[in-house]
Amino acid sequence: MAASEHALAIVGGGPAGLTAGIYAARDRLDTVLLEAKPLTGGQIVFTDVVENYPGFPEPLSGAELMDKMRKQAERFDLQIATAEIGTVRAQGDKYLLAGDKADYLAQAVIVATGTESQKLGVPGEEEFWGAGVSTCATCDGPLYRDKPVAVVGGGDSAVKEAVYLTKFASKVYVIHRRDRLRAEKIIQEVALANEKVEFVWDTVVTEMAGKDGLEALKLKHVKTGAESEVAVDCVFLYVGVRPNTDLVKGLVELDERGLIVTDDDMRTSAPGIFAAGDCRSKKLKQVATAVGEGAVAAYSAQEYITGGPYGGG
Ligand code: NAP
């Protein structure tokens, strides 16, 4: 089957990809946005409350925010297709994007594939996946009304989702491998003031145990080596993320964590390939930064395709 040809292909339908799509569509660039599953919206859809994205004085959920971004993109007739892209490779002066359902050929590509949740790799994790082990408090939290649960991690996601889980759970243990959180201070303050949240410092999970579902976590204190157990019905893992960059491995420069290296104009080491959002090597991973990078990537892609400054060429 012949590849569907476009000036620009955007891979990923999160905040960075959709923003790039809005800018490219408004510029009437022949663009296709490819997402692995319909209406994914990226990792932000798993966030219950977004309260630091400007323009929304009242908090809204990640899913609501992404629904608005998608509607905005559709208003400008952005073409969105469902295809999981396995590889992006040079073909002449274009790029071939090999997908599970179809292939695409494009002059320029914006990679906005984001990240996926890391797992711990301890015994019991795979066995109880979906039966007491989760990476989505928004999806699974309501199932644990009046039950004790645990969150693993000390970053923004762990601490924020721990507070969200107190809406349902009788108790939320936050198990963190250090004695200091890396979460934003304002998020920490809310969690530390919540009586249902109990921090378990300097501690790692060594095993997840149970019969038909998760019943307990086996723990180890990293400083004393002391072992203990805590009874919980579910554990929510927020131990960081892994970039979805395998599709461009060998094509563009990646940093030591597998994130795509770009310049300030979102150009990667391969001409015509741009990157934006959480899959990019950078300090601050936020919706606010992702949308800015999406806009810049679209601008740069337009320059690359037309051979001149934005609107010129
Ligand atoms: P993160 O910032 O990378 O935090 C991961 C946490 O998991 C860290 O506390 C880390 O411990 C811990 N960890 C990592 N590997 C572990 C292991 N094997 N065992 C036990 N603990 C482990 O990840 P994130 O919280 O998912 O956030 C990802 C990005 O999104 C960040 O840039 C974050 O700022 C952003 N974000 C922002 C918001 C917001 O509302 N502002 C919300 C969510 C996410 P150490 O601290 O010891 O390294």
Side-chain angles (χ1 to χ4, degrees):
M1 197 174 59
S4 153
E5 202 167 336
H6 301 271
L8 174 63
I10 300 167
V11 191
L18 277 175
T19 305
I22 289 168
Y23 275 72
R26 281 173 59 81
D27 209 37
R28 303 290 182 236
L29 204 57
D30 171 15
T31 304
V32 63
L33 184 147
L34 305 164
E35 55 184 0
K37 290 185 195 127
L39 307 171
T40 40
Q43 289 280 97
I44 191 65
V45 299
F46 301 124
T47 297
D48 185 51
V49 178
V50 178
E51 51 186 13
N52 57 2
Y53 186 64
F56 295 90
E58 297 306 320
L60 76 171
S61 73
E64 284 167 337
L65 180 61
M66 293 321 296
D67 188 51
K68 288 178 190 293
M69 280 194 203
R70 175 177 291 269
K71 288 196 174 115
Q72 196 174 351
E74 284 168 354
R75 190 154 75 82
F76 300 114
D77 298 324
L78 175 68
Q79 191 186 331
I80 300 179
T82 308
E84 184 161 3
I85 303 302
T87 57
V88 181
R89 292 292 169 256
Q91 185 167 297
D93 59 356
K94 298 190 174 138
Y95 288 98
L96 181 71
L97 295 86
D100 56 347
K101 297 188 179 67
D103 291 347
Y104 296 83
L105 200 59
Q107 280 171 265
V109 178
I110 297 175
V111 183
T113 42
T115 57
E116 64 184 34
S117 303
Q118 294 260 42
K119 294 182 183 176
L120 282 178
V122 297
E125 184 175 51
E126 291 302 328
E127 189 184 342
F128 299 118
W129 196 261
V133 185
S134 170
T135 51
C136 180
T138 313
C139 327
D140 299 328
L143 304 174
Y144 297 94
R145 200 169 283 279
D146 300 324
K147 308 265 194 231
V149 302
V151 165
V152 184
D156 285 332
S157 302
V159 182
K160 214 172 153 184
E161 299 306 319
V163 172
Y164 169 70
L165 285 165
T166 62
K167 283 192 192 178
F168 315 102
S170 55
K171 173 113 194 155
V172 181
Y173 298 97
V174 178
I175 300 162
H176 183 36
R177 64 182 178 182
R178 290 191 295 140
D179 60 0
R180 286 181 65 185
L181 299 170
R182 70 169 59 233
E184 216 184 345
K185 287 287 183 292
I186 193 167
I187 297 175
Q188 292 191 27
E189 284 164 15
V190 176
L192 290 162
N194 191 311
E195 285 177 357
K196 277 194 183 177
V197 177
E198 181 176 330
F199 285 90
V200 184
W201 303 109
D202 291 317
T203 299
V204 292
V205 175
T206 54
E207 192 180 332
M208 300 177 184
K211 288 197 183 81
D212 296 332
L214 182 77
E215 291 171 8
L217 298 176
K218 296 192 178 174
L219 307 175
K220 188 175 177 181
H221 195 278
V222 293
K223 289 178 179 159
T224 64
E227 293 180 2
S228 60
E229 200 171 294
V230 63
V232 289
D233 287 66
C234 189
V235 61
F236 294 88
L237 305 178
Y238 289 104
V239 290
V241 289
R242 178 187 175 277
N244 294 320
T245 54
D246 285 353
L247 75 168
V248 288
K249 216 177 211 171
L251 179 69
V252 305
E253 185 189 347
L254 303 179
D255 72 7
E256 66 290 349
R257 292 166 299 166
L259 294 156
I260 301 171
V261 176
T262 74
D263 65 10
D264 289 349
D265 293 326
M266 307 303 136
R267 295 189 195 97
T268 70
S269 58
I273 306 273
F274 305 86
D278 284 7
C279 65
R280 196 183 146 248
S281 183
K282 60 174 179 175
K283 272 193 184 160
L284 190 61
K285 291 183 177 168
Q286 299 284 308
V287 179
T289 56
V291 300
E293 293 161 26
V296 174
Y299 183 103
S300 297
Q302 161 76 10
E303 272 191 345
Y304 176 83
I305 292 163
T306 61
Y310 200 68

